[in-house]
């Protein structure tokens, strides 16, 4: 097997390529982090909206149950 020699220029070029790829990866990570922050905010807003709707539906159910109870009470009274 022949002995291969590696020059300092080759090593420098390889190191520069590696550093360039690392910079690109860090930029992609920053963009993904920003996207995740936006998505988290959206989910939190939707969660708050759903909780508000649950409270509203429960309140509406209570409002509708009162007249039904009055009618039921009136029907039970003797004439």
């Amino acid at each position: 097997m022949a002995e291969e020699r590696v020059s300092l220029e080759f090593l420098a070029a390889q190191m520069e390529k590696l550093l360039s790829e690392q910079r690109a990866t860090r930029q992609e990570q920053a963009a993904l982090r920003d996207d995740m922050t936006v998505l988290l905010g959206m989910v939190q807003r939707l969660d708050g909206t759903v909780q508000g709707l649950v409270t509203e539906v429960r309140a509406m159910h209570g409002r509708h149950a009162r007249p039904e109870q009055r009618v039921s009470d009136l029907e039970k009274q003797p004439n």
Side-chain angles (χ1 to χ4, degrees):
M1 184 188 262
E3 185 178 316
E4 292 184 32
R5 294 187 181 236
V6 177
S7 68
L8 289 177
E9 290 82 17
F10 174 77
L11 290 175
Q14 292 300 313
M15 182 59 79
E16 187 57 42
K17 182 179 174 184
L18 247 168
L19 291 173
S20 175
E21 289 176 1
Q22 186 179 26
R23 276 191 293 273
T25 300
R26 286 184 178 165
Q27 289 173 347
E28 289 175 13
Q29 286 176 340
L32 287 173
R33 196 175 307 115
D34 291 342
D35 291 346
M36 290 297 292
T37 302
V38 169
L39 291 173
L40 176 64
M42 292 170 65
V43 168
Q44 288 174 335
R45 180 176 47 86
L46 288 172
D47 184 51
T49 301
V50 168
Q51 290 303 318
L53 285 173
V54 168
T55 303
E56 186 177 343
V57 167
R58 285 183 179 153
M60 289 173 59
H61 176 61
R63 286 178 65 193
H64 292 292
R66 280 193 302 273
E68 286 181 20
Q69 184 61 41
R70 286 186 198 160
V71 169
S72 178
D73 291 344
L74 288 173
E75 287 176 343
K76 290 178 184 175
Q77 288 180 355
N79 290 333

